[in-house]
Structures are given as C-alpha cells and as structure tokens.
Amino acid sequence: MTTTPNRPDSTIANHTTERPAPMKDNAAQTSGLRPHPTEPSLVPKGITIGLAFFALTLSLSGYGFRLAVGEELSAVLRHAAMLVPAFVIGIPLLFWLGSLVMNKVTGSSIQRRNAITLGLLTSSVAMLWLMGTYS
C-alpha cells in the first residue's frame, strides 16, 4: 500500500461523500412515494371565464350572418334558443355532474371548476368542428 506524501489529512476529510440517513418517521419518504398535495390544483378563473365568453361568442357568431342573408328573425331566434344553451350551459353542466358522480363512486378528487372548464373547452371544440363541417 502506498500513501500519498505531502497530502494533509484535512484535505481527505473535506472530500467525503457521506449521505444523510433517511428519516424513519415519515412513511411516505422512506417508501419513495410522494405525499398528496394539500391544496387542490385548480384552473385559473380567468381561463374559465375566457372559455365561457369564447363559447358564447362561437355559439352566437353565425346568427348575425343568417339575419343579414335574409332569414326570418323568429326562425333564427328559435334555433339560437335551442343551440346556445345546449353548448354554453348543457355540455359544461354534464361535465360538472360527471365529476360529482366520479367523486362519489371512485372517491377521486375532481375539482368542480376544472370539470366546468373542461366542459367549456369541449363545447368550444365541438362548435368549431361543426362550423368547419358545415362551412
């Protein structure tokens, strides 16, 4: 065995790679699992409100054109009275009710605002798809 001359012992002691022992009192830390966050992860209100305005704008966008072309006001209003609430209120409401059912049945923690935002996003995509199909 050879020792390194001219090397003080303090240099060797400074370069040790000891790891601290894991804490034994936290079961999640010793098993490698992450603990659940205490605060819910929510979509910002601005995004939810923005998607609501976008869905409303999309659902109303074609009716001005239909009136300008010459369709009767009563026919346009009758069509709008069915279609606008179905997309702006109906689809997000179904997503919200689905989140309530999933929370009861599976015990998951789906936040209501997230479900409403997903419903608004889905209705906006569905309206864009219908507009693209019939244009």
Side-chain angles (χ1 to χ4, degrees):
M1 258 206 270
T2 1
T3 58
T4 56
N6 299 333
R7 190 172 200 187
D9 290 334
S10 63
T11 308
I12 295 172
N14 288 340
H15 294 293
T16 60
T17 57
E18 293 181 19
R19 293 185 183 175
M23 297 177 64
K24 299 291 182 188
D25 59 339
N26 190 354
Q29 190 177 17
T30 57
S31 66
L33 299 175
R34 295 182 185 165
H36 292 286
T38 56
E39 292 186 23
S41 175
L42 289 174
V43 175
K45 278 185 187 177
I47 292 177
T48 304
I49 293 169
L51 275 173
F53 282 129
F54 184 63
L56 185 64
T57 304
L58 277 177
S59 63
L60 294 174
S61 63
Y63 296 115
F65 178 75
R66 288 175 67 177
L67 287 173
V69 170
E71 284 196 38
E72 291 184 18
L73 180 63
S74 63
V76 172
L77 288 178
R78 196 173 332 121
H79 189 265
M82 288 186 331
L83 195 66
V84 173
F87 279 102
V88 177
I89 297 172
I91 294 175
L93 182 68
L94 289 175
F95 273 81
W96 178 71
L97 289 173
S99 74
L100 291 179
V101 170
M102 289 293 291
N103 287 343
K104 294 280 185 190
V105 171
T106 64
S108 58
S109 176
I110 301 171
Q111 299 297 317
R112 292 177 183 164
R113 189 190 315 159
N114 292 350
I116 291 170
T117 304
L118 182 62
L120 288 168
L121 180 63
T122 304
S123 69
S124 298
V125 169
M127 284 186 280
L128 287 171
W129 175 68
L130 287 172
M131 288 177 177
T133 302
Y134 292 111
S135 64

